[in-house]
Amino acid sequence: MDNYAVDKELLMEESLEKIMELLVEKQYFLARDELLKYNAVDIADLLQEIIDDSGIQMAVIMFRLLPKDTSVEVFAELPSDDQVNIVNEITDKEIAFIMDEMDFDDKIDILEELPANVVDKILDQTPKSERKQINMFLNYPEDSAGSLMTPEYISLQKKWTVRQALEHIKKENMEAETVYTCYVKDTGRKLIGIVSLAKLVISDDDTRIMDIMVTDYIYETVNTDQEDVADDFKKYGYLALPVVDKEHRLVGIITFDDVMDVMEDEATEDIERMNGVIDFEDSDKGYLDISVWQHAKNRLPWLIILMIAYIFTGRIITSFETSLSKVIELVAYMPMLMGTGGNCGSQAATLIIRGLATDEVDTGDALKVLWKEIRIGAIIGVVLSILNYGRIWFIDGVHNPGIAMTVCASMLFIVIIAKVIGSMIPLIVEKIHLDPALIANPAISSVSDAVALSIYFAMAMTFLPI
Amino acid sequence: MDNYAVDKELLMEESLEKIMELLVEKQYFLARDELLKYNAVDIADLLQEIIDDSGIQMAVIMFRLLPKDTSVEVFAELPSDDQVNIVNEITDKEIAFIMDEMDFDDKIDILEELPANVVDKILDQTPKSERKQINMFLNYPEDSAGSLMTPEYISLQKKWTVRQALEHIKKENMEAETVYTCYVKDTGRKLIGIVSLAKLVISDDDTRIMDIMVTDYIYETVNTDQEDVADDFKKYGYLALPVVDKEHRLVGIITFDDVMDVMEDEATEDIERMNGVIDFEDSDKGYLDISVWQHAKNRLPWLIILMIAYIFTGRIITSFETSLSKVIELVAYMPMLMGTGGNCGSQAATLIIRGLATDEVDTGDALKVLWKEIRIGAIIGVVLSILNYGRIWFIDGVHNPGIAMTVCASMLFIVIIAKVIGSMIPLIVEKIHLDPALIANPAISSVSDAVALSIYFAMAMTFLPI
């Protein structure tokens, strides 16, 4: 067992209780000392608990008592809602201090979330050159490489020696993740090469940068979609990637830690889309922070589309109504056949959509996939048909071979066809350059429902005297 | 647009065509030169295309023509199936060379996939001390921190100066991602602190390591689940985390690039589970590499469980058969009501399961979630009911207020109850410490199907003379 993690969780719970007691007794300094046992990420977690429990005012009191540099780090780790709440409670001077100390990319993230009047107030207190840069960064499209990058990077001259480079790095005194890759630019600010800090450290002091820099590096452009950026990080395993503009001038870098968040957000988006939820606000807000109205709005489109699709399913049943009323027992097996078809389809669709997302499958594999799913469907269909025959005969006690044959033959064909539909639709959607995750399992289910009913009724007419 | 990515893709396609032509003309050296325009990751991609197109023999010819060090890098980037294929085609001496040059963690990954006789052959040619270490690493449970880590890290003495440390690092000459964090151990090999390379570079040469090392670092234990490791990386944003044994001795480190793969695998596993696919082999194999039988085996369990669940749905319908045959029009709306209920349930379940996975929701929020879903369900239910009334009256032309009321009232209740079921089941499963993703949307659908039918028939008895 991971005793460390368990211990730490217990420890933090105890600390939280202690802090809550101290806050009730107005022992703010003792409460602060308890908080300071932890690192910034954990303090941010504890502060959120304080907000939930004792309200924002109490949290702001604690926040103000933190050492200045810790408070900046903690602020950067808070969710944006809590950041806005804190900004509303503290003075302009305090806001200016926090903003000034914060890493550039965190600053941009926060400014994107704050209300316009607060942003204006902050920008008023920012030096003009930085204000220009902030405005440029705020203008990159959301979800683009530009919105992920930071302009804080180490830039070197190609004629420098390793010694000069290391001295330069020492002087810049930057934080860890932005310092491990250094960038070499020509006089026109064009990126011409990269050198890792590891390479600098293991090279001789008098080596020229131009002799150790890598020139066939991977890079991104400002408008690249963040999903493609994340794919490059996964593929090449780099710590940071440079971002260039149209003239190949270096405008910023993206570090791996920002990409981890992107990967999580993109996985969430895919999972939600596949299950019929579309986040119209495209927000990073959690479930609890999204309003009831927004939740309803995100979920209604697919439900309405499906309702329309079910008009056709209804028509199929209506056209078969007279026969159905003659052998009313058939109705009892409809939910199972439709449900199994829908599940078979969404199993196949899930595997293909995920395969496309992780580049294990591509549209060129369509025939291979088709043949595979037909065989998988046949195996599953035969197994389920045999089980069903037993169920109908022994459990339901329906000793009517016509009905049993109708259900079992339907089951076999429904499973195979649902597998084919579920696997082919995502490939078709990918082929026409749309996001396969947008297909959504509900759509696969409704198509396979209609197919399932048609097959069922066709089998009924084959095996039953109707 | 991301012209770079597009350009690069085109460029690689052109190169591939050129290589294929050169291979046909047996111009192997020219083909190799074309390959060498790319980095190891891309060469591995191209080599896979060659395997698909011209077979493994041709790929091995190209592989052998690569410069030795490149061939090792390329080998490490190939999927395990292709690695095994290549190992089967090359000499023991070549295998030994590749294994010897490879990073330790890549070596372990490959040994885990190779057939036992090949592994034995490789281990025979490995020095005894390393063989012992390899065997230790091969024994860590799959999916544990131990199986992710590498024993290649920089270890420093606390009494050293920064100058001594940097000289030591220079001598070790290790690859990039393992060098950025250095580890300080006491005489008993216990981990006592960490220092980042960035800190070393910006510190004065005569500073003692003990004065700049961080002692409240985050660490993992060998048996920690890889998912928890990934969570810590996401939470704290570090490049590497140390792994210790029970005695707090440093046994290895995990670097961020290995964790990115874990994040992707875990997301895939969650997505598959939620849609009723269980990967029994727990393999990292892609869709196309899994056999038809294995695919069938992975998908059958949920389908069989659901078939059993649908026995109850069948019973509900059977008990209502006589009434149903009197108002046979009711059957036409069954698929829509069940389908909408299932989709509403899985929308809610998806959001809650994902919220739990990303720590945005926890079991303590159950009441908040319940109240939220009831309100969301009411809004959606009212909208869909009104639309349905219109559909029944104007599109279907069923001018029977009893049927219209039955369908619309059912819709409202089904949506609300499906939302409640879909959101509460994952929270209950989490509460009893199981993986909520295991619930699977198919299960939610089958429960909501049974509920939907019960509500529908209850409404029919209320609004219709049956």
Side-chain angles (χ1 to χ4, degrees), chain A residues 12-23:
Chain A
M12 278 183 67
E13 263 172 44
E14 278 170 31
S15 288
L16 187 63
E17 255 176 59
K18 205 164 154 189
I19 291 168
M20 292 304 182
E21 277 170 31
L22 289 169
L23 289 182

Side-chain angles (χ1 to χ4, degrees), chain A residues 159-349:
Chain A
K159 289 182 182 163
W160 282 359
T161 61
V162 166
R163 186 185 299 111
Q164 281 174 302
L166 286 171
E167 269 162 23
H168 175 73
I169 292 168
K170 206 173 234 171
K171 224 166 44 202
E172 291 275 318
N173 197 5
M174 260 187 221
E175 69 161 312
E177 70 253 25
T178 47
V179 85
Y180 290 122
T181 319
C182 307
Y183 301 88
V184 190
K185 297 192 288 192
D186 71 4
T187 44
R189 290 186 48 221
K190 285 204 174 70
L191 180 63
I192 52 173
I194 63 172
V195 191
S196 71
L197 181 62
K199 188 80 187 173
L200 287 175
V201 167
I202 63 169
S203 298
D204 286 330
D205 277 356
D206 297 319
T207 313
R208 296 258 163 218
I209 297 301
M210 53 199 291
D211 296 326
I212 52 171
M213 72 185 186
V214 175
T215 51
D216 66 333
Y217 50 84
I218 307 295
Y219 60 91
E220 307 294 339
T221 53
V222 282
N223 290 319
T224 307
D225 187 87
Q226 61 175 3
E227 204 165 348
D228 296 330
V229 174
D231 285 345
D232 279 343
F233 269 89
K234 263 182 287 181
K235 186 168 177 191
Y236 298 104
Y238 290 134
L239 284 169
L241 288 177
V243 182
V244 298
D245 65 11
K246 275 185 205 144
E247 282 76 40
H248 208 82
R249 284 181 307 217
L250 183 61
V251 284
I253 65 168
I254 300 174
T255 54
F256 79 99
D257 52 323
D258 295 318
V259 170
M260 286 204 167
D261 297 335
V262 171
M263 285 174 63
E264 189 163 285
D265 290 346
E266 295 287 338
T268 299
E269 199 182 275
D270 272 10
I271 292 173
E272 289 178 1
R273 282 186 178 178
M274 283 169 73
N275 292 296
V277 181
I278 302 165
D279 190 351
F280 284 103
E281 300 244 297
D282 204 11
S283 71
D284 308 332
K285 281 187 193 169
Y287 169 88
L288 291 171
D289 296 326
I290 296 174
S291 74
V292 169
W293 288 103
Q294 190 61 43
H295 267 297
K297 201 175 140 198
N298 292 346
R299 301 182 198 183
L300 264 171
W302 266 114
L303 295 173
I304 293 174
I305 292 171
L306 291 178
M307 234 188 64
I308 296 167
Y310 278 116
I311 295 179
F312 296 98
T313 320
R315 288 284 151 87
I316 296 171
I317 295 178
T318 308
S319 70
F320 200 72
E321 239 164 46
T322 350
S323 315
L324 213 51
S325 58
K326 275 188 240 160
V327 196
I328 193 76
E329 292 94 331
L330 286 177
V331 177
Y333 299 102
M334 272 170 45
M336 180 190 66
L337 291 170
M338 290 189 298
T340 305
N343 286 319
C344 282
S346 61
Q347 284 178 332

